[in-house]
Amino acid sequence: MTTNIDTELAISEAEWEVMRVVWSQGSITNRQLIDTLILSKDWKEGTIKTLLTRLTQKGYIKKDISQSPYLYTATIKQQDANIHKMHQSLAHVCNKKHGTLLFEIIKDIDLSKNDISALQDLLRNKMDSAPVEVACHCEPGKCQCYYE
């Protein structure tokens, strides 16, 4: 399984649902995937097959045809894909606003005591080398920094 993602990650919301099932199972047959998604989503079998085909063509899932039934496995790790997607989202936000955005996200999600402790440690370590203010890297006209 590939561990890093070097290109733009192009996975639709529906494709993410398929990927989550594949990631959770490690390897899964076409029938198992269809049965799982029909129970959890109100999708038709043809829709699921189309999504599976798209993900295979994009290279995010591989089909092992050396056995029957065929087994499907992810070619990218779930955590790598999630991190990549988060970075893609942050790329659309001014660097000066990343802290505020992360604050709002953290404020609204459930975290374990271990998660909170790890975040506290990370933030303490980052504090030593943090700038007083993060620089804006947006192109002119793409954020409000140029108007302030």
Side-chain angles (χ1 to χ4, degrees), residues 58-76:
K58 291 178 181 182
Y60 301 133
I61 290 178
K62 68 177 180 180
K63 177 167 71 170
D64 181 0
I65 59 173
S66 67
Q67 57 187 342
S68 184
Y70 302 149
L71 281 180
Y72 292 86
T73 57
T75 61
I76 56 175

Side-chain angles (χ1 to χ4, degrees), residues 1-7 9 23 59-60 74-85 87:
M1 185 180 300
T2 304
T3 57
N4 60 357
I5 301 166
D6 297 327
T7 60
L9 188 62
W23 281 320
Y60 301 133
T75 61
I76 56 175
K77 290 183 179 180
Q78 185 174 15
Q79 182 167 336
D80 291 344
N82 289 334
I83 290 168
H84 191 80
K85 188 170 183 171
H87 282 287

Side-chain angles (χ1 to χ4, degrees), residues 8-10 13 22 35 49 56 59 61 65 67 76 90 92-94 107 110 135 138 142:
E8 191 77 9
L9 188 62
E13 291 303 314
V22 174
D35 291 346
K49 287 180 178 179
T56 303
I61 290 178
I65 59 173
Q67 57 187 342
I76 56 175
L90 286 174
H92 299 291
V93 177
C94 176
K107 181 177 79 171
D110 294 329
C138 299
K142 289 193 175 179

